[in-house]
Amino acid sequence: MKFYKTKHAEIGEGVEATVLFHKDNGDELILVRSGWDAFAEQNPKAKECAIEDADKLLQKTKIKLAVPKRKEIRKAQKLSDDDLLKEIENPETLTVSVNKTESEEGQVLTYIEEVEIASVEDFLQAQNTQASEPETEIIDKEPQEIII
């Protein structure tokens, strides 16, 4: 892996790369996994940087990524769109979105949270989390009536 700072990078054939951040002014931090020579040839103004420098840039930029954190299968007590909106709007939760689907098992809810990226390690971990399936909790209970 090599890191490059550049503006408006071109990632062509023979290069496997990920953009870690892209600013409005065109500044980019690119993680090149393979094809370094081809990348350098395609982007002659790109400057290679050490992982420590990449970490510093990520800390300054304050990037946030959305990652799936938990998954619920609700067999009995299904949540309405209003309930899910309350979860998203609640400042005490980190939830920024909830993906809702139906399956044979019931209502499937995947809770998405924002994660702040302060280092290359954080980015790679968030990327792995995005690609993996969160642990599933099955909620099988009917709501209980509250007696006052």
Side-chain angles (χ1 to χ4, degrees), residues 128-142:
N128 286 340
T129 302
Q130 285 176 325
S132 64
E133 191 70 25
E135 193 171 311
T136 303
E137 178 183 355
I138 296 176
I139 298 174
D140 201 5
K141 298 177 185 173
E142 287 288 341

Side-chain angles (χ1 to χ4, degrees), residues 19 30 32 39 46 69 75 80 88 96 106 108 114 116 129 147:
V19 177
I30 312 280
V32 180
F39 181 83
K69 284 296 192 167
K75 293 183 176 196
S80 69
I88 293 167
V96 294
V108 181
E114 265 187 350
E116 191 167 318
T129 302
I147 302 172

Side-chain angles (χ1 to χ4, degrees), residues 2-5 20-21 29-31 48-61 63 117-121 123:
K2 291 185 180 183
F3 299 92
Y4 293 90
K5 292 188 292 186
L20 298 179
F21 75 74
L29 177 62
I30 312 280
L31 163 61
E48 188 175 346
C49 66
I51 192 167
E52 294 81 13
D53 295 329
D55 285 345
K56 287 177 187 174
L57 284 170
L58 289 170
Q59 284 177 338
K60 269 196 261 182
T61 307
I63 298 172
I117 304 301
S119 69
V120 170
E121 183 61 37
F123 181 86

Side-chain angles (χ1 to χ4, degrees), residues 6-134:
T6 189
K7 281 189 181 269
H8 306 291
E10 291 182 32
I11 300 174
E13 198 171 319
V15 178
E16 182 186 344
T18 303
V19 177
L20 298 179
F21 75 74
H22 175 89
K23 292 185 178 179
D24 291 339
N25 67 359
D27 287 346
E28 296 172 323
L29 177 62
I30 312 280
L31 163 61
V32 180
R33 297 182 197 288
S34 65
W36 305 287
D37 294 336
F39 181 83
E41 192 175 296
Q42 295 160 12
N43 301 281
K45 293 184 180 180
K47 293 188 169 117
E48 188 175 346
C49 66
I51 192 167
E52 294 81 13
D53 295 329
D55 285 345
K56 287 177 187 174
L57 284 170
L58 289 170
Q59 284 177 338
K60 269 196 261 182
T61 307
K62 298 193 187 295
I63 298 172
K64 291 186 179 183
L65 291 180
V67 297
K69 284 296 192 167
R70 66 185 168 124
K71 188 173 187 177
E72 294 177 351
I73 297 177
R74 294 182 160 271
K75 293 183 176 196
Q77 182 187 7
K78 296 184 178 185
L79 297 181
S80 69
D81 289 344
D82 286 341
D83 293 333
L84 297 175
L85 190 57
K86 286 176 188 172
E87 168 78 14
I88 293 167
E89 291 176 346
N90 183 349
E92 294 178 11
T93 71
L94 299 173
T95 304
V96 294
S97 179
V98 179
N99 295 338
K100 179 175 92 169
T101 59
E102 293 290 332
S103 74
E104 293 174 0
E105 298 178 72
Q107 184 184 55
V108 181
L109 303 172
T110 304
Y111 292 83
I112 311 295
E113 295 180 3
E114 265 187 350
V115 176
E116 191 167 318
I117 304 301
S119 69
V120 170
E121 183 61 37
D122 290 348
F123 181 86
L124 296 174
Q125 189 175 14
Q127 203 174 36
N128 286 340
T129 302
Q130 285 176 325
S132 64
E133 191 70 25

